[in-house]
Amino acid sequence: MKTKSILMVCLLFGLYTTGFAQKWTKNKKAVKQSVENHKTDLIAISDQIWEAAEIAFQEKKSSKLLADYAEQNGFRVERGVAEMPTAFVATYGSGSPVIGILGEFDALPGISQKTKPTKDPLVPGGNGHGCGHNLFGTGSLGAAIAVKELIAAGKLKGTVKFYGTPAEEKFFGKIWMVKAGLFDGVDAVMDWHPSATTKADVQSTLALVDFIVEFNGQAAHASADPWNGRSASDALELYTTGINYYREHIKPTVRIHYHIQDGGQVVNVVSDYSKIWVRVRDTKREGMMPVYERVQKMAEGAAIMANTDYKISLVSGIYEILVNRSGGEAMQKNLEMLGPISYTEEEEAFGKKIQEMTGKKQIGMDSSINPLEETLENPGGGSTDVGDVSWVVPVVRMGATVAPKDTPWHSWAVVACGGMSIGHKGMIQASNALAMTMVDLYEDPKLLKRVKDEFKKRKGNTVYESIIPEGPPPVGSN
Ligand SMILES: [Zn+2]
């Protein structure tokens, strides 16, 4: 018996010293209470942003809702930062550490949807929050407010900054916020994303570059005197053919996408103008760059073949995420303390219906806390302008369940969940986990040091250099 109890004590002590025995400290309890106190407001703000469904750089109402609520809660708000009318920074407190948190709020075009589990647009052809950014921005602000209240009560020391970051879906507003030096002097930044699973996120994303190619030729009658024409449509077709042949010779980590924006207007005119948006990605920026060079050269080749002129205009480009596992480990413990979200029978039925309608297995919601993953060298998935932030300041990330498992992202199904209780519950979970991890960063200088040391080590000698040229963000060019 005695040996057993000694063993037990050793085991418990071991758990404590390795940090598994996280407990509900006063400050973490206060975080939960704060999020609970603001819950009705947070849900109302999120729903208003969901309904407004404003796309890149048009998020006037959404940005104002968040900035106003931050101001009402005692933050100093600087609006229209980095030459973007819908970008803002809300700050509370003084001195170090300075912990930031990111909040997005832009929607996607064409996927408007009611809060119903079957496809049914709220506004036919309208925009929708198919990436859950209404929850993202609002959930992050909820966390920032919880931390602010602890600073105001003298329970934490330092500064909290909420970043209202526009146009994530199209132009990547955070790049200009980084360029404007808005993250200078910040020790760490928190970030989350709405998801179909709950986890501390220790995976990177894909680096990306966006550019537009325009071909200019000579118009002519397509039948009477086509020999007088130089076809911009021909150039476009030759260009995409080149890109598609090239696919056989690129690494599996590379992605090339394009969207034909103007392929000529009518059948009886040799078109003198065509336009295409091209996007190149790879899991590392260094792998992306040579592909970017090659795909630009192909535009020249196509122009030569069709005897047209061509013009390439860089739109934007972002880095892959620089992972921070030290922060991820702290996040993981807090998620485990919070435990999985529980759903009502109606919510489970809603989730299963969505799965049925999108051809997925009807397994319902999954909010179980995933174990901390190994960081993959070449992850799949998308890209985010959080990548650029993560090369100038350590970023700690998580995902929270706001939609049933396997839901197609950027689709009506995510819009449906983001405007009702399934989305709200994920948002509240995120507010809590983010704020609790921020509490750890304020209270534990050793943790903050580990986070910063890991950032320095992973960054190595790389000098962050945005791909975009000097100049203002493309506000107004949607
Ligand atoms: Zn998103």
Side-chain angles (χ1 to χ4, degrees):
M1 278 301 279
K2 206 176 169 189
T3 331
K4 244 188 186 172
S5 40
I6 289 170
L7 198 73
M8 242 350 236
V9 168
C10 286
L11 195 71
L12 285 172
F13 185 71
L15 282 174
Y16 181 76
T17 51
T18 51
F20 284 102
Q22 282 287 82
K23 56 181 194 297
W24 282 100
T25 60
K26 273 188 184 163
N27 280 349
K28 288 190 183 174
K29 281 183 195 164
V31 157
K32 227 177 162 213
Q33 190 56 53
S34 166
V35 173
E36 185 61 32
N37 295 345
H38 291 276
K39 191 170 157 182
T40 312
D41 287 349
L42 295 173
I43 289 173
I45 292 168
S46 162
D47 283 353
Q48 286 174 70
I49 297 174
W50 180 88
E51 202 171 336
E54 295 164 308
I55 58 169
F57 288 140
Q58 297 177 14
E59 321 97 329
K60 284 198 184 77
K61 190 178 175 191
S62 309
S63 166
K64 188 177 179 331
L65 277 162
L66 293 168
D68 286 354
Y69 196 62
E71 216 161 53
Q72 284 164 32
N73 280 279
F75 284 76
R76 304 183 297 277
V77 180
E78 202 187 334
R79 299 174 198 239
V81 294
E83 297 182 75
M84 295 180 286
T86 51
F88 69 94
V89 182
T91 308
Y92 186 85
S94 61
S96 61
V98 182
I99 312 290
I101 183 161
L102 305 174
E104 298 172 3
F105 37 76
D106 62 329
L108 287 155
I111 49 170
S112 172
Q113 168 68 22
K114 293 176 185 164
T115 51
K116 280 172 64 179
T118 52
K119 195 177 174 193
D120 187 0
L122 183 67
V123 181
N127 311 325
H129 271 286
C131 208
H133 293 182
N134 58 311
L135 305 165
F136 184 164
T138 316
S140 292
L141 183 56
I145 291 170
V147 168
K148 175 256 153 180
E149 288 175 358
L150 285 169
I151 295 174
K155 309 283 186 197
L156 294 176
K157 278 196 173 61
T159 309
V160 58
K161 276 174 179 276
F162 173 88
Y163 292 85
T165 70
E168 194 279 334
E169 297 289 5
K170 195 163 183 187
F171 299 107
F172 312 119
K174 292 181 197 71
I175 303 172
W176 288 276
M177 297 179 86
V178 171
K179 278 187 154 221
L182 296 173
F183 296 95
D184 294 356
V186 179
D187 293 286
V189 164
M190 310 299 297
D191 172 54
W192 76 288
H193 205 287
S195 176
T197 52
T198 302
K199 62 179 186 180
D201 196 341
V202 289
Q203 302 301 348
S204 186
T205 51
L206 277 67
L208 165 163
V209 60
D210 273 342
F211 57 100
I212 284 170
V213 181
E214 291 164 286
F215 294 102
N216 280 285
Q218 168 66 54
H221 192 292
S223 178
D225 64 340
W227 47 86
N228 280 333
R230 292 183 291 114
S231 172
S233 300
D234 288 359
L236 184 80
E237 284 199 62
L238 290 162
Y239 184 45
T240 57
T241 303
I243 289 175
N244 291 325
Y245 270 96
Y246 182 37
R247 290 188 198 280
E248 192 183 344
H249 310 284
I250 54 176
K251 291 192 175 154
T253 52
V254 175
R255 301 280 182 277
I256 309 174
H257 326 272
Y258 56 74
H259 171 224
I260 295 171
Q261 300 192 304
D262 190 340
Q265 300 298 317
V266 283
V267 72
N268 59 348
V269 173
V270 172
S271 65
D272 64 351
Y273 180 75
S274 65
K275 183 179 178 187
I276 184 169
W277 182 305
V278 186
R279 171 170 288 185
V280 176
R281 308 193 212 217
D282 196 358
T283 51
K284 306 273 186 297
R285 193 195 195 195
E286 62 194 31
M288 178 191 83
M289 290 309 278
V291 180
Y292 171 42
E293 291 299 322
R294 178 81 188 273
V295 176
Q296 286 182 93
K297 268 191 181 168
M298 284 180 180
E300 188 187 352
I304 291 169
M305 283 190 279
N307 194 21
T308 62
D309 297 319
Y310 77 103
K311 185 182 159 202
I312 296 173
S313 313
L314 178 65
V315 179
S316 199
I318 48 180
Y319 272 77
E320 72 273 20
I321 292 251
L322 199 60
V323 167
N324 198 288
R325 290 191 67 87
S326 309
E329 282 161 15
M331 178 69 82
Q332 178 74 18
K333 289 174 193 164
N334 288 311
L335 282 169
E336 284 170 9
M337 272 169 72
L338 283 165
I341 300 166
S342 52
Y343 296 101
T344 62
E345 269 179 38
E346 291 78 25
E347 288 161 348
E348 285 289 351
F350 192 98
K352 284 180 182 164
K353 187 72 189 170
I354 282 194
Q355 284 159 341
E356 183 194 331
M357 298 312 292
T358 54
K360 298 292 181 312
K361 255 194 198 161
Q362 292 178 55
I363 47 176
M365 304 300 301
D366 177 16
S367 73
S368 55
I369 314 299
N370 278 21
L372 195 69
E373 296 168 345
E374 287 299 314
T375 300
L376 301 171
E377 185 59 25
N378 289 306
S383 310
T384 166
D385 57 6
V386 178
D388 284 55
V389 179
S390 77
W391 284 83
V392 296
V393 58
V395 176
V396 180
R397 308 178 68 223
M398 64 166 283
T401 303
V402 307
K405 209 162 169 47
D406 304 321
T407 304
W409 220 251
H410 282 193
S411 82
W412 66 267
V414 176
V415 186
C417 297
M420 50 82 74
S421 59
I422 290 175
H424 301 152
K425 283 185 173 177
M427 173 179 81
I428 296 302
Q429 176 90 332
S431 289
N432 279 315
L434 290 159
M436 286 161 72
T437 309
M438 289 165 91
V439 165
D440 289 333
L441 292 168
Y442 284 99
E443 286 180 338
D444 184 356
K446 284 184 190 156
L447 170 66
L448 187 57
K449 188 177 181 306
R450 281 203 304 280
V451 166
K452 293 171 84 166
D453 286 349
E454 182 180 341
F455 165 77
K456 278 184 207 145
K457 200 174 161 200
R458 285 188 189 265
K459 188 175 175 183
N461 296 325
T462 309
V463 178
Y464 168 79
E465 196 185 354
S466 170
I467 206 167
I468 55 166
E470 286 305 312
V475 176
S477 59
N478 235 308

